[in-house]
Amino acid sequence: TPLADFVLVAGVESPLVAYMRRDTPPGVNVPADLMKTKDFKALTLNGQNSNTLNLTLSLDLLGVSYVPVPAYVGLKEVETAILQNTGQMANTSLSGWIGSAEPALGKLVIPIWQLTARGAKGDYPRSANLPNLQTFEEFYASVKGKPPSADDIRYRALRTMIDPQLAMFRMVLLPPKTPAATVAIMRKAFEEMWTDRAFLSDYARVMKAEPVLIPGAQGQMLLAEIGTVPKPIKDFLVDYSTRMTSK
């Protein structure tokens, strides 16, 4: 059953953080130094995974010379490989960054940018949980002198693929054709939970971040986008992934 056919109860928004070893030649002391590097290894999950595609498409848009390594089974394995200098760049979710990569890798790495969900105005504002980390769009504009082109198939594919996921990084779903009364009860329960101070305190303590709830009705519209991806974007992503994994 297509994911877009399911009924969304609630979602939790999360940005992604791209990070890099500081000792990547000739040295990465500030994020813009990425543009001086050459032929570093970008470590990700398999070639069909959004973890891989969002990082490699971003690097392609920037015109950076790198070696993609879409070969890992989990992000903890990626972190270990970064620690051992098997590779130099990777990315992870907000919870993965705050709860694992940042404390495990410490000053060995530097965050380069965050990929964030599309805002209400169609822009890409910084996550409230990462107010001091520039977005990919900000980084691109700072090193290229202009924003990414909306006509570039790579940027269109990146955003078409990643926007719904970032907006609803964690989802609670009900089966297709669930009765409307049941959906309403479940959505109301989750919305009330997100106002419970004890729950919010426990969430912040465990996740080390404040939750950003996507209500069910809003999330349902985002979920529907997944089922209406234009064929040129689908074809591009299939071809892109195939070419990357055949190298």
Side-chain angles (χ1 to χ4, degrees):
T1 303
L3 180 60
D5 289 349
F6 283 79
V7 178
L8 188 121
V9 175
V12 182
E13 182 180 301
S14 175
L16 299 175
V17 177
Y19 63 93
M20 192 170 202
R21 284 184 62 106
R22 291 179 181 268
D23 59 1
T24 304
V28 182
N29 298 307
V30 295
D33 287 342
L34 163 68
M35 304 305 293
K36 302 175 183 178
T37 64
K38 185 177 181 181
D39 298 335
F40 61 86
K41 292 180 179 178
L43 309 186
T44 59
L45 307 182
N46 67 70
Q48 289 75 41
N49 196 289
S50 61
N51 168 266
T52 296
L53 297 174
N54 78 67
L55 183 58
T56 57
L57 283 169
S58 298
L59 293 172
D60 287 349
L61 283 162
L62 290 165
V64 177
S65 176
Y66 70 101
V67 179
V69 186
Y72 289 82
V73 297
L75 293 179
K76 291 300 293 184
E77 288 78 10
V78 170
E79 289 175 27
T80 300
I82 294 290
L83 182 64
Q84 296 171 339
N85 207 16
T86 302
Q88 292 72 45
M89 191 173 191
N91 68 346
T92 189
S93 65
L94 172 66
S95 57
W97 172 251
I98 294 177
S100 185
E102 185 178 32
L105 300 172
K107 294 182 179 180
L108 184 68
V109 299
I110 180 175
I112 305 295
W113 64 67
Q114 58 174 306
L115 268 173
T116 59
R118 184 174 65 239
K121 298 179 181 179
D123 57 350
Y124 294 98
R126 296 183 184 186
S127 166
N129 286 300
L130 294 170
N132 299 318
L133 179 61
Q134 63 193 335
T135 65
F136 172 73
E137 284 75 13
E138 289 177 300
F139 179 86
Y140 185 99
S142 72
V143 299
K144 294 290 189 178
K146 58 183 179 180
S149 171
D151 294 328
D152 192 315
I153 186 68
R154 296 169 299 181
Y155 187 64
R156 289 170 54 206
L158 170 66
R159 277 301 171 185
T160 300
M161 172 193 66
I162 206 67
D163 280 356
Q165 180 190 357
L166 295 177
M168 303 178 296
F169 199 78
R170 297 287 183 261
M171 293 181 285
V172 179
L173 298 168
L174 292 172
K177 301 180 180 179
T178 296
T182 302
V183 174
I185 291 170
M186 291 296 294
R187 285 179 173 175
K188 185 174 184 292
F190 269 83
E191 289 180 20
E192 290 177 350
M193 181 178 70
W194 290 104
T195 63
D196 185 289
R197 291 184 179 181
F199 170 79
L200 293 174
S201 177
D202 286 344
Y203 184 103
R205 176 177 54 80
V206 173
M207 301 300 291
K208 298 180 174 61
E210 297 298 326
V212 180
L213 172 70
I214 302 300
Q218 178 184 343
Q220 196 71 52
M221 291 187 291
L222 293 167
L223 196 64
E225 291 182 14
I226 298 174
T228 58
V229 175
K231 188 175 186 299
I233 298 293
K234 290 182 180 179
D235 292 344
F236 171 81
L237 287 171
V238 170
D239 178 67
Y240 181 89
S241 175
T242 301
R243 286 187 287 108
M244 178 170 53
T245 54
S246 64
K247 292 179 180 178

